[in-house]
């Protein structure tokens, strides 16, 4: 009697163990491979908690199925009572002590890992930490580097450096949430409040994320990415950007990125209109009206460009006006 359900249970557990890695790889059930020390600690915590909760799940659901089969009615009259059992000291002690021990282990692991997740290291072997100001806005991320360089949605950083992010949102915007899963946990971008998070990546590459707080109609389009570059490549890029943003001549990378990440999400990549109206030649040609539109918004359009640096406003307008002559 006992053998068959137990065998079924063992088989089911074995099948789950075989299927789990496949599910983890394809189904997105497991965290993405961590690429930063804080993300590694979050992943460790995840697996420790999953081990206990997974074992408890199999035990409880297995016992449930076993009892359903083992003690089924088998034609007994419905009002016949089963044997009356009262008290079992050892069993009761066991189910009191076991959860206490499990919670103590999970608590210990979490409090051991937590400082390495939260506390930003002062520096790394590659040099002092890089401080980036991150602003979440409807529906883009604006970054400011220590030398004043501005970037939108894609953050470029050097390899092996501790990067500290000061994450916030303007007081007239809404709450967003910064999250690049491979580089650590979520951190909210709250209007008027500054939160901090950090990462350090030892492998060049592109790490993608997504705003993780429902923030309005284009929340799904509010993507973010961190591009980790070899040091020399990063130095070249940041210098080039500083030069171009301080002394712009015609169209710039900042202007293109600002149009693509701030305007196009609502007005279309070719200004054809999407959830926002098409941008006409007349709108684009009127510099003063454009500046006012950016600063004040209109109707459903948020003031996407209020408090921007002059460099970013000018870069966007130069891009729009160059495009209206050139077509794209
Ligand atoms: Cu910003 Cu969702």
């Amino acid at each position: 009697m006992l053998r068959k359900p137990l065998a079924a249970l063992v088989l089911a557990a074995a099948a789950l163990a075989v299927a789990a890695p496949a599910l983890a790889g394809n189904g997105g059930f497991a965290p993405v491979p961590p690429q930063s020390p804080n993300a590694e600690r979050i992943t460790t915590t995840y697996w420790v908690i999953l081990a206990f909760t997974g074992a408890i799940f199999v035990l409880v659901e297995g016992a449930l199925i076993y009892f359903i089969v083992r003690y089924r009615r088998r034609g007994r009259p419905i009002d016949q009572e089963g044997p009356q059992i009262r008290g079992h000291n050892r069993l009761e002690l066991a189910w009191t002590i076991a959860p206490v021990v499990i919670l103590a282990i999970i608590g210990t692991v979490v409090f051991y890992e937590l400082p390495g997740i939260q506390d930003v290291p002062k520096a790394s072997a590659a040099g002092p930490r890089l401080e980036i100001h991150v602003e979440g806005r409807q529906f883009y991320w604006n970054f400011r580097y220590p030398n004043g360089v501005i970037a939108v949605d894609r953050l470029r950083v050097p390899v092996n450096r501790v990067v500290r992010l000061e994450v916030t949102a303007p007081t007239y915007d809404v709450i967003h949430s910064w999250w690049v899963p491979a580089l650590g946990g979520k951190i909210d971008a709250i209007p008027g409040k500054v939160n901090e998070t950090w990462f350090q990546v030892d492998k060049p590459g592109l790490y993608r994320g997504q705003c993780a707080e429902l923030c309005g109609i284009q929340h799904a389009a509010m993507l973010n990415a961190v591009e980790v570059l070899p040091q020399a490549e990063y130095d070249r890029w940041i210098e080039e950007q500083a030069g171009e943003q301080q002394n712009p001549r015609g169209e710039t990378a900042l202007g293109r990125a600002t149009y693509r990440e701030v305007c196009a999400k609502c007005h279309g990549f070719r200004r054809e209109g999407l959830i926002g109206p098409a941008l006409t030649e007349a709108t684009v040609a009127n510099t003063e009206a454009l500046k006012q539109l950016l600063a004040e918004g209109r109707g459903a359009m948020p003031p996407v460009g209020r408090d921007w640096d002059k460099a970013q406003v000018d870069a966007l307008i130069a891009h729009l006006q160059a495009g209206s002559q050139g077509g794209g």
Side-chain angles (χ1 to χ4, degrees), residues 12-31:
L16 198 68
V18 172
L23 284 175
N26 304 320
F29 283 98

Side-chain angles (χ1 to χ4, degrees), residues 85-89 92:
I85 301 162
R86 19 188 87 73
H88 190 299
N89 284 347
E92 284 170 21

Side-chain angles (χ1 to χ4, degrees), residues 141 143 153 178-180 207-211 222-226:
W141 296 97
F143 307 111
D153 278 7
W178 171 264
W179 194 31
V180 179
Y207 305 94
R208 293 182 186 279
Q210 156 85 56
C211 173
M222 198 169 162
L223 304 169
N224 47 1
V226 172

Side-chain angles (χ1 to χ4, degrees), residues 176 211 213-215 219 222:
H176 306 270
C211 173
E213 183 76 53
L214 182 62
C215 54
H219 159 70
M222 198 169 162

Side-chain angles (χ1 to χ4, degrees), residues 62-146:
L64 179 71
I65 292 167
Y66 173 71
F67 275 60
I68 288 172
V69 175
R70 175 78 175 79
Y71 298 105
R72 65 189 185 279
R73 191 167 151 227
R74 284 194 175 119
R76 277 191 303 264
I78 205 158
D79 53 1
Q80 184 191 322
E81 286 190 14
Q84 302 297 302
I85 301 162
R86 19 188 87 73
H88 190 299
N89 284 347
R90 260 193 264 166
L91 197 60
E92 284 170 21
L93 273 174
W95 77 46
T96 308
I97 293 169
V100 170
V101 172
I102 291 170
L103 287 179
I105 295 173
I106 290 177
T108 308
V109 171
V110 169
F111 282 109
Y112 172 76
E113 299 288 358
L114 201 56
I117 295 170
Q118 260 184 345
D119 304 343
V120 190
K122 291 267 181 323
S124 55
R129 67 192 187 190
L130 177 60
E131 310 262 349
I132 309 278
H133 186 79
V134 179
E135 214 174 65
R137 303 179 60 139
Q138 287 177 316
F139 297 96
Y140 64 96
W141 296 97
N142 231 31
F143 307 111
R144 184 196 304 274
Y145 289 79

Side-chain angles (χ1 to χ4, degrees), residues 137 140 172 262 293-295 301-309 313:
R137 303 179 60 139
Y140 64 96
Y172 45 84
V262 181
L293 195 60
L294 288 170
M301 175 177 163
V304 287
R306 188 182 297 175
D307 303 328
W308 272 359
D309 278 18
V313 175

